[in-house]
Amino acid sequence: MSDSSGSAAVESPEATPPAGGNGEPLVRAENVWKIFGQKADRVIGTPDAELSRSELHDKTGCVIAVRDVSLEIMPGEVFVVMGLSGSGKSTLVRTLIRLIEPSAGKITITGHDVMEADASELRELRRHSVSMVFQHFGLLAHRRVIDNVAFGLEIQGVGKAERLARASEVLGLVGLEDVANSFPDQLSGGMQQRVGLARAFAVDPQLMLYDEPFSALDPLIRRDMQDEVVRLQEETGKTMLFITHDLPEALRLGDRIAIMRDGAIVQLGSPEELVGSPANDYVRNFVRDIPRTHVLTLRWIMRDPRPGEESGGPELDVKTTVKDAVPVAAATDGPIRAVENGRCVGIVDRVSILQAMAGGPEDSGGGS
Amino acid sequence: MQVGGIVLLMLLGYLLVDGDYSWPVSLTWQELPAKLDDAQTWLLEQRTAPDPNFFFAILDGFRALADWLVTALTDMLLWLTWVGTIAAGTLLVLRFGGWRAALITFLAFVSFAVMGLWEESMQTLALMSAAVLLSLAIGIPFGVLAGRSQRFHRTITPVLDAMQIVPAFAYLMPVVILFSVGPAAAVICTMIYAVPPAVRITALGIRGVTADSVEAARAFGSTAAQTLFKVQLPLARRQLLLSVNQTIMFALSLVVIAGLIGGRGLGDVVTNGLYSNAALAILAGIAIVIMAIALDRATSAIAERTDPTRRHLTDRGKRHARVLTLATFAGILATVFAARALGADSVYPDEFETSTTVYTATIHDDLLRWIQDALDYVQDPTSFIFGITEPLGNFILENLLEPLRKLLVDSPWFVVLGGLTAIAFVLSGLRPAITTLLMLTAIGVMGVWPEAMDTASQVLVATAIAVLFGIVIGVWAAESPRVERLLRPLLDTLQTLPQLVYIIPFIYLMPVSRIPGIVASVLYAIPVVIRLVTNGVRGVPPAAVEAAYAFGASRMQVLAKVKVPLARESIMLGVNQGIILVLAVVVIGGLVGSGALGDMIARGLQRNEFGEGVVASLAILALGIALDRVTRGRRDPSRA
Ligand SMILES: Nc1ncnc2c1ncn2[C@@H]1O[C@H](COP(=O)(O)OP(=O)(O)OP(=O)(O)O)[C@@H](O)[C@H]1O
Ligand SMILES: [Mg+2]
């Protein structure tokens, strides 16, 4: 509550470079704003923009949905945006391809300036470079599954035979060959969302946007679908922007996670950074129930090796989670070497593992 | 509460103010009717001038188009021959609407034939089809626009509202002046009445397409046209066909009145028979009812069955469907050519001749005789029915109508004017009150204050009756599913009947001056009131009801203290809608002796007293707007 919601995005100090390392980001958003309301454009850049959401609403009737968000998504990365209901997640993804017109900001996707794009350039972007999966599926009830999957291609003007061939190929990818001739309302929710996935994959986009694709599904199916996304991402290496309000889902899928609150990003970092050093009480509250040992890896808890420790004793990959290191630690008295590419980069021991399990000293260290 | 106070003050004003305070002559524009007559003559000259200006060229072009369309459709129906028409109608409905609807269609055609009203029915069918085609040609594009653009929707809503407030009877006069008597005038009147529902329902359908589907289409890069044709129209298709259904119902409802201004067919038979041959009028009325029911069932069956979101057609199914359609058309053509080759008449004949004998082919004369017998019975002072209807009619007249008419007509004009304005202010707010004041003043200035007050008294009495019974029945139906089940088909049928058809039976059942109009308007309005009340009471949040029961309230207490108060808004809406519907029928009563404004129009139409007629039309319009504003309530003005 007391937290000033006007604060800009806080990057954790230790923010790891995004996966994919160097190179141009696929998506770059700078200072994106979205304000709903009559006089929205007269708010940005004035002191009013600093007001909290409810104060601004009382004063001007405008709602700030997205507040000064900047982010970069690297090719091949799974970027997760997470936040409570109403925090502006859906609005943010939609502004990226201007399904909702941003009030201010600069957006580049695959090197193209989205804000400058005219209607036809924008359509080209949506047709070929980006596709989207929706929370409520957004399937067309009057079309067979296969025609739904082929929809994006049809819009591009691809011929019937070709698009149906491509659609059945993609249906095979999500395991729905058998229901190609069914209609959406004849399928379960999970299957419908697979159709939604297939439809998005069919146009072979560079960037896939997922707006809470699984929150309408029950937990077991949701897990299946998450596995599906992980698998598809591994097989195809697509860049993904994934929206969710479910933290475990975010931690499972995300290379990096942005946490939103009242339209602004309050922390952006790897799963470990969020759990290991929450930027503020808001994030801390969020991650409180997540078992730290399942998320933190040795890299997070290791210390520099002292002379003599760099050889001998058990060794584990630096990306091993604390949970998985426990059996090894239990079996040995001495220090464990954390290795990366065959080189020892740090040392963990029973004490550091126990500290991590207990919520160790790092807790208070992070992000202040 | 406050309304009661105002009414009391009005009563006091009526009782206490002495002397003649009818609308002052100094405030009346007496030359108005004469001026209107002049204007009409001028218009006529312009229209018939050898080289009309642009505006009149458009009017004339439209008139030619409508006339041509009606003639072409009539010719086509006749060309098909009666056998071919029956085959075409039945097979088409069979193909797209299923066998039930096809059976009803078939029976309807058969009944037109045996009633001996084939030609008139076909004329009506053609007239109505022309009006429906033109209405849809306007209504659907506008509806699609309104469905896609919130701003456009907001802009046209008041126009549609206004079009629907005006009783059809009131625009007969102006339309006749602009288009002369004839099929075109009938088509135009029908369009004024039928376009608003076409626009509204189409817009509703487009809006009803889930935002998700539309957004998905946009996200995949659809152009606006792609979104419309690949997503919105197919998904809204059922609703679009329902808008066709409603347009047909509205059009048919006007067909009878159209008989007054040169629409041929059943309407003509009804309006002429009203004075000369009652039994024939009633028979034609029955044919119209049959046509309404058949068209309703057929179009709604087609809407349901061709909905692509439910039909689930696979490739094989599609091929199959195509073959069936081809077969249907082939069957129709084969029948038509066979019928023509065998010499079937274009119209169902009155008698069949064989080489030896002549058979009567219809039961026209028998039906007329039976109807006449029934009429004689209900009008026989010694009959049982008469013993009920006569005193009932007199009761309404003497105890409700007359006192109220006296109050409104004989009160000083400023008392009535102030009172109604005050009620509008209390119930609806400042702006409606100002509108009411302006409208009532306009009525006075036009010099028809007493006639308008007479009409208003009829409207108020009929509305009161409709609302009273509507609330009781509506609450009952909301409480008991069984009552609702029983009621529904009855209400459906009542709502498909054309306005004038309601009046016909009561001219004979209750032949007491203004009573037929009143009873008919009550019947016309009550289905809507019942529906609104039922929905309102149903819509009361279950939590509130549960809480009341939890405190030990009895069923009656829950009704009286929770449900009805919470349903107040729907009930108020029922009053508002009811009053507009009642007005529409009450003025038609002018045709059969209700006097007042309706009578002025009837006379205007029958004796070419244009000025008077137009004044009455304008007064009805003003009265409609005033009554609407008085009862509008503090409804959200931005209702979608
Ligand atoms: N069209 C709109 N007009 C006005 N306000 C809007 C509109 N769309 C969204 N908002 C407001 O913007 C804020 C952010 O909404 P958004 O849908 O982006 O949230 P979200 O994080 O996706 O929430 P959820 O998890 O419920 O989907 C909310 O307060 C919402 O009320
Ligand atoms: Mg959302």
Side-chain angles (χ1 to χ4, degrees):
Chain A
M1 279 290 149
S2 60
D3 203 66
S4 142
S5 39
S7 66
V10 180
E11 292 236 11
S12 305
E14 307 92 331
T16 43
N22 42 26
E24 272 299 293
L26 189 73
V27 179
R28 169 181 284 148
E30 293 165 73
N31 312 102
V32 173
W33 288 78
K34 177 64 200 182
I35 301 179
F36 288 108
Q38 294 281 313
K39 288 165 255 156
D41 39 334
R42 276 187 251 154
V43 174
I44 301 163
T46 68
D48 282 353
E50 303 296 320
L51 294 174
S52 80
R53 194 186 254 185
S54 56
E55 283 166 347
L56 184 78
H57 185 79
D58 292 345
K59 184 166 168 191
T60 66
C62 295
V63 178
I64 299 197
V66 173
R67 183 195 292 271
D68 200 17
V69 166
S70 300
L71 51 83
E72 287 184 353
I73 305 175
M74 290 299 169
E77 187 182 16
V78 177
F79 189 101
V80 174
V81 176
M82 149 79 259
L84 297 179
S85 188
S87 56
K89 311 179 294 293
S90 300
T91 309
L92 175 62
V93 266
R94 281 165 176 73
T95 55
L96 293 184
I97 54 171
R98 287 174 53 193
L99 280 177
I100 294 177
E101 205 58 50
S103 310
K106 186 163 164 20
I107 296 163
T108 335
I109 296 180
T110 64
H112 295 89
D113 188 331
V114 177
M115 297 303 288
E116 293 298 318
D118 62 24
S120 80
E121 287 165 349
L122 197 57
R123 271 203 303 277
E124 284 308 301
L125 177 84
R126 292 175 186 168
R127 286 182 182 181
H128 297 285
S129 307
V130 185
S131 67
M132 191 159 172
V133 181
F134 299 88
Q135 176 171 5
H136 300 292
F137 320 144
L139 300 179
L140 304 178
H142 63 296
R143 291 168 163 242
R144 291 176 304 166
V145 164
I146 190 156
D147 298 320
N148 263 290
V149 175
F151 181 75
L153 298 166
E154 183 179 336
I155 293 299
Q156 296 173 12
V158 176
K160 187 162 181 185
E162 193 185 331
R163 68 175 187 249
L164 289 185
R166 167 73 182 152
S168 50
E169 186 187 321
V170 183
L171 273 178
L173 202 64
V174 296
L176 287 182
E177 309 88 327
D178 295 344
V179 296
N181 280 317
S182 305
F183 281 77
D185 61 355
Q186 297 168 325
L187 307 183
S188 69
M191 286 163 100
Q192 289 189 33
Q193 193 56 299
R194 274 172 209 263
V195 177
L197 275 180
R199 178 174 65 179
F201 264 100
V203 297
D204 196 21
Q206 287 169 280
L207 171 67
M208 298 191 61
L209 306 175
Y210 291 83
D211 185 12
E212 301 199 31
F214 308 141
S215 29
L217 306 178
D218 58 49
L220 278 180
I221 296 177
R222 192 187 298 182
R223 257 199 103 79
D224 272 0
M225 298 295 291
Q226 290 164 4
D227 291 340
E228 188 86 20
V229 166
V230 169
R231 184 176 66 81
L232 289 169
Q233 210 272 340
E234 277 165 6
E235 284 174 16
T236 61
K238 295 262 178 261
T239 312
M240 296 185 178
L241 172 57
F242 195 103
I243 306 276
T244 179
H245 63 235
D246 182 38
L247 186 61
E249 186 169 88
L251 295 172
R252 264 194 95 198
L253 297 172
D255 293 321
R256 284 189 304 151
I257 299 169
I259 295 200
M260 283 186 81
R261 180 192 187 185
D262 287 353
I265 293 183
V266 291
Q267 187 172 7
L268 193 164
S270 68
E272 265 182 281
E273 285 161 355
L274 296 186
V275 175
S277 57
N280 55 29
D281 286 344
Y282 182 73
V283 181
R284 188 167 300 120
N285 234 337
F286 242 114
V287 299
R288 196 171 53 195
D289 296 329
I290 297 294
R292 297 160 49 85
T293 54
H294 291 219
V295 177
L296 298 185
T297 63
L298 299 189
R299 188 196 301 282
W300 193 258
I301 61 170
M302 69 194 183
R303 59 174 165 78
D304 290 337
R306 298 191 191 108
E309 285 180 335
E310 279 168 33
S311 58
E315 61 178 51
L316 285 171
D317 191 280
V318 72
K319 285 190 219 130
T320 314
T321 58
V322 172
K323 177 183 73 135
D324 294 333
V326 168
V328 180
T332 177
D333 285 339
I336 301 169
R337 288 175 305 130
V339 297
E340 187 173 28
N341 303 325
R343 212 171 54 80
C344 171
V345 291
I347 295 295
V348 290
D349 51 28
R350 282 185 182 175
V351 177
S352 52
I353 287 179
L354 285 172
Q355 268 174 350
M357 293 172 78
E362 299 90 345
D363 232 12
S364 43
S368 50
Chain B
M1 264 329 282
Q2 285 158 310
V3 176
I6 296 170
V7 173
L8 212 65
L9 282 179
M10 286 169 76
L11 262 178
L12 283 178
Y14 167 59
L15 295 174
L16 297 185
V17 181
D18 264 345
D20 180 20
Y21 286 103
S22 52
W23 190 275
V25 179
S26 55
L27 286 182
T28 311
W29 187 14
Q30 279 161 315
E31 304 89 73
L32 182 60
K35 281 233 155 50
L36 285 168
D37 274 331
D38 291 348
Q40 196 259 337
T41 321
W42 179 80
L43 274 172
L44 205 62
E45 278 165 13
Q46 293 296 313
R47 272 182 35 214
T48 49
D51 118 71
N53 69 23
F54 182 68
F55 174 71
F56 291 101
I58 296 251
L59 280 190
D60 223 49
F62 196 87
R63 188 168 76 104
L65 173 71
D67 275 343
W68 173 82
L69 199 55
V70 174
T71 318
L73 286 168
T74 316
D75 290 349
M76 188 194 79
L77 288 173
L78 296 181
W79 180 82
L80 288 174
T81 73
W82 65 270
V83 181
T85 304
I86 296 184
T90 311
L91 287 177
L92 280 177
V93 176
L94 180 66
R95 165 66 190 87
F96 297 106
W99 69 268
R100 262 173 222 276
L103 183 64
I104 294 176
T105 310
F106 178 74
L107 290 178
F109 276 121
V110 169
S111 66
F112 303 147
V114 299
M115 281 197 270
L117 291 171
W118 184 268
E119 185 168 13
E120 291 81 356
S121 303
M122 292 307 112
Q123 285 168 339
T124 293
L125 202 55
L127 181 65
M128 186 218 67
S129 307
V132 167
L133 285 177
L134 291 173
S135 302
L136 293 175
I138 295 177
I140 290 195
F142 274 78
V144 167
L145 277 180
R148 289 170 64 108
S149 150
Q150 184 65 39
R151 184 176 320 157
F152 185 68
H153 191 240
R154 267 203 307 268
T155 319
I156 61 166
T157 300
V159 180
L160 299 180
D161 281 349
M163 281 167 86
Q164 292 195 302
I165 288 177
V166 190
F169 205 56
Y171 42 72
L172 294 183
M173 264 340 268
V175 167
V176 166
I177 292 176
L178 286 175
F179 294 92
S180 329
V181 174
V187 166
I188 310 267
C189 278
T190 312
M191 286 175 66
I192 300 177
Y193 192 60
V195 164
V199 176
R200 275 185 215 271
I201 299 175
T202 305
L204 206 65
I206 296 288
R207 260 153 217 281
V209 172
T210 52
D212 290 347
S213 304
V214 175
E215 186 175 46
R218 286 180 63 213
F220 280 92
S222 302
T223 59
Q226 283 174 323
T227 309
L228 181 64
F229 288 105
K230 288 177 191 292
V231 179
Q232 289 174 305
L233 287 182
L235 286 175
R237 175 184 175 137
R238 204 179 108 216
Q239 193 76 31
L240 292 184
L241 286 180
L242 285 181
S243 107
V244 175
N245 168 281
Q246 283 304 297
T247 310
I248 291 179
M249 290 300 117
F250 274 75
L252 203 54
S253 159
L254 260 213
V255 151
V256 190
I257 305 181
L260 286 172
I261 54 169
R264 310 276 307 278
L266 295 171
D268 199 20
V269 179
V270 171
T271 44
N272 280 327
L274 224 43
Y275 304 106
S276 54
N277 186 346
L280 187 59
I282 289 182
L283 192 63
I286 294 173
I288 291 174
V289 172
I290 292 175
M291 191 181 288
I293 292 174
L295 280 167
D296 180 40
R297 295 300 132 87
T299 46
S300 46
I302 292 173
E304 294 296 332
R305 287 176 59 109
T306 57
D307 180 3
T309 66
R310 303 192 193 170
R311 210 152 54 125
H312 295 167
L313 271 190
T314 57
D315 280 343
R316 245 187 64 216
K318 261 187 215 151
R319 240 170 292 137
H320 189 64
R322 232 170 272 150
V323 171
L324 274 181
T325 309
L326 276 180
T328 304
F329 281 101
I332 292 172
L333 282 181
T335 316
V336 171
F337 284 114
R340 289 180 65 86
L342 293 176
D345 290 319
S346 53
V347 180
Y348 183 82
D350 290 333
E351 42 204 31
F352 288 121
E353 276 176 61
T354 63
S355 48
T356 49
T357 33
V358 175
Y359 300 101
T360 313
T362 70
I363 50 171
H364 187 74
D365 296 330
D366 298 318
L367 288 173
L368 287 185
R369 215 177 31 249
W370 293 334
I371 295 173
Q372 195 54 54
D373 287 347
L375 287 181
D376 291 343
Y377 170 76
V378 298
Q379 290 183 299
D380 174 2
T382 58
S383 76
F384 173 71
I385 294 273
F386 194 86
I388 299 173
T389 53
E390 160 87 317
L392 186 62
N394 281 334
F395 174 82
I396 296 177
L397 187 67
E398 280 159 23
N399 295 298
L400 300 173
L401 262 180
E402 269 309 304
L404 187 64
R405 194 188 63 84
K406 275 221 180 69
L407 174 65
L408 289 180
V409 177
D410 296 348
S411 282
W413 60 273
F414 45 82
V415 170
V416 177
L417 191 66
L420 288 178
T421 307
I423 294 177
F425 178 72
V426 169
L427 286 180
S428 310
L430 182 61
R431 280 183 56 173
I434 294 174
T435 312
T436 306
L437 183 68
L438 289 177
M439 290 299 140
L440 293 177
T441 312
I443 289 174
V445 170
M446 287 189 285
V448 287
W449 181 263
E451 289 85 354
M453 288 305 117
D454 188 352
T455 298
S457 71
Q458 299 178 36
V459 170
L460 291 177
V461 167
T463 309
I465 299 175
V467 166
L468 193 70
F469 282 95
I471 290 178
V472 171
I473 299 173
V475 169
W476 196 18
E479 289 289 287
S480 151
R482 217 181 50 211
V483 172
E484 222 228 331
R485 257 200 318 280
L486 286 175
L487 221 49
R488 188 174 301 150
L490 187 67
L491 297 185
D492 282 347
T493 313
L494 278 179
Q495 282 191 303
T496 47
L497 298 191
Q499 294 170 350
L500 185 57
V501 168
Y502 279 98
I503 297 188
I504 304 172
F506 295 102
I507 305 173
Y508 306 98
L509 269 175
M510 295 183 156
V512 195
S513 70
R514 284 163 275 168
I515 299 302
I518 303 258
V519 181
S521 59
V522 168
L523 281 183
Y524 184 66
I526 209 167
V528 173
V529 180
I530 293 178
R531 289 231 155 100
L532 285 168
V533 171
T534 307
N535 288 345
V537 173
R538 284 267 167 74
V540 169
V545 175
E546 199 173 29
Y549 278 120
F551 279 102
S554 74
R555 190 164 167 181
M556 283 320 281
Q557 282 174 317
V558 170
L559 254 185
K561 291 188 193 300
V562 180
K563 288 187 177 175
V564 171
L566 283 180
R568 218 187 98 131
E569 198 152 312
S570 314
I571 293 173
M572 196 61 203
L573 188 61
V575 174
N576 179 252
Q577 304 270 296
I579 218 164
I580 297 303
L581 296 172
V582 162
L583 176 65
V585 176
V586 158
V587 290
I588 296 178
L591 282 177
V592 294
S594 289
L597 294 176
D599 186 50
M600 290 175 71
I601 292 187
R603 266 186 293 139
L605 287 169
Q606 284 153 358
R607 298 187 210 145
N608 284 357
E609 289 170 9
F610 287 96
E612 289 275 316
V614 172
V615 166
S617 295
L618 292 173
I620 290 174
L621 171 63
L623 187 63
I625 296 177
L627 289 174
D628 174 65
R629 293 307 189 274
V630 171
T631 52
R632 170 160 286 207
R634 294 177 195 280
R635 225 188 297 161
D636 183 5
S638 65
R639 84 221 115 92

